[in-house]
Amino acid sequence: MRLCVSGTCSQGKSTFIEDFIKEWPKYTTPDYTYRDFVGDNHSIKANKDIQWKILNCMIDELTKHPKEESHVIYDRGPIDNIVYSIWAESKGTGGIDSEYIKKCLPLLKETCKFLDIILFI
């Protein structure tokens, strides 16, 4: 089963995941996350390039874990990425525009097929 915990920052997603893994130790988190590639300050300087790198990193990780064999829980997922991109577009920041959003939506739709449960916190 492939789970994803989504939600805004500082809501307890990481704490929930830590507690979840203690209760169900057969679950793991991915070896790499988007933070390994773009760092923790990505939201301060969000732009199309960073959001695209984050989305592709998430997609790469999701496709590594086949449904039949996986017990993985992700801290954030593609839905978080598109929501943040839509927010940035609404604020006119980072060069994120409606064309970029339209480009990402089909990827989001296809990528969600790699998740069995999305938990919103």
Side-chain angles (χ1 to χ4, degrees), residues 4-52:
C4 179
V5 181
S6 293
T8 59
C9 65
S10 301
Q11 296 299 308
K13 293 179 302 298
S14 298
T15 302
F16 172 82
I17 290 170
E18 289 171 15
D19 292 344
F20 182 93
I21 290 173
K22 286 177 189 172
E23 187 70 27
W24 290 282
K26 71 179 178 179
Y27 277 85
T28 62
T29 57
D31 293 330
Y32 300 100
T33 72
Y34 66 92
R35 289 180 181 99
D36 295 316
F37 297 101
V38 298
D40 284 328
N41 294 327
H42 63 278
S43 58
I44 296 169
K45 299 177 183 177
N47 61 50
K48 265 196 260 192
D49 291 335
I50 290 173
Q51 288 302 100
W52 187 249

